[in-house]
Each structure stands twice: as structure tokens, then as C-alpha cells.
Amino acid sequence: MSPITTHVLDTARGRPAEGVAIVLERRQGETSWVELARGLTNRDGRLATLLPDGAALSTGIYRLRFVTADYFAALGVSSFFPEVQVIFQIEDPAGHYHVPLLLSPYGYSTYRGS
């Protein structure tokens, strides 16, 4: 399993958000980002294969970008946030980082999962 995983739940529909495009980036310097991986959530709203099994992480600041505009457009739903960015810090490169997103057309919430 990827050392960084995510799960997107569409709280307005009460179901997993399938087909959300996600980009994983690592901060380089003070203002630039380097793309590490990208993928789509599956039928269960999960993306467990963002990085290869056993991929080495390093300490630093990471960002998950959730492309929510395309997801809501495919449903024919108007939304306020075209993209959700979740920025987090990795202090233990050997750890597993699960970053879920609870999503609706006009709001979102996130937390460190397990």
C-alpha cells in the first residue's frame, strides 16, 4: 500500500466520491512544489495506490490537491470550491499517512486518519 492514502466521501450524497482526480506534491524551497504522483479515487472513494508499495518518503511539507470541479461537473452539480488543497507535514518518513476528505458542493473537512 502507498505510504500516503486518501478517501473522499461526498457528504451531500451520503456516498463515496468516485473519480476525483488527486495530485500529490512535495514542497521544494519556500514557494515551489514538485509533483510526485496523481490518480483517481475508485468506486469506494479511495486512492490507496498513489505511490508504489514501499515508496520512500522524506520529512517535509506535502500537498494533496483534490480536483473537485470536474467531479461535481460530472454530476451536474454546481459547487463553490474548484479545488481543495490539503497541506500536511511528514515528520516520520516510515509512517503511514491517511488523509481523508469529507466533501460537499459548498464545504469540506479533513483530518489525519489511520
Side-chain angles (χ1 to χ4, degrees), residues 9-12 68 72 78-81 84 101-110:
L9 297 172
D10 184 332
T11 58
T68 55
F72 285 118
S78 176
S79 66
F80 185 67
F81 300 102
V84 172
L101 179 68
L102 305 175
L103 179 64
S104 75
Y106 296 96
Y108 63 89
S109 178
T110 187

Side-chain angles (χ1 to χ4, degrees), residues 14-110:
R15 55 194 318 176
E18 179 180 4
V20 176
I22 299 170
V23 179
L24 172 65
E25 299 166 314
R26 186 174 190 279
R27 190 165 76 185
Q28 184 174 24
E30 289 298 314
T31 58
S32 42
W33 295 90
V34 175
E35 183 175 319
L36 302 177
R38 61 178 51 224
L40 293 172
T41 56
N42 64 16
R43 290 183 60 203
D44 195 31
R46 296 181 184 275
L47 181 52
T49 57
L50 196 51
L51 294 170
D53 290 348
L57 295 176
S58 56
T59 59
I61 307 295
Y62 290 75
R63 174 170 69 183
L64 283 171
R65 290 191 303 116
F66 299 83
V67 183
T68 55
D70 294 345
Y71 168 74
F72 285 118
L75 295 173
V77 174
S78 176
S79 66
F80 185 67
F81 300 102
E83 181 176 277
V84 172
Q85 297 184 18
V86 178
I87 299 172
F88 58 99
Q89 183 168 308
I90 291 182
E91 294 179 348
D92 176 10
H96 175 255
Y97 296 86
H98 184 64
V99 185
L101 179 68
L102 305 175
L103 179 64
S104 75
Y106 296 96
Y108 63 89
S109 178
T110 187

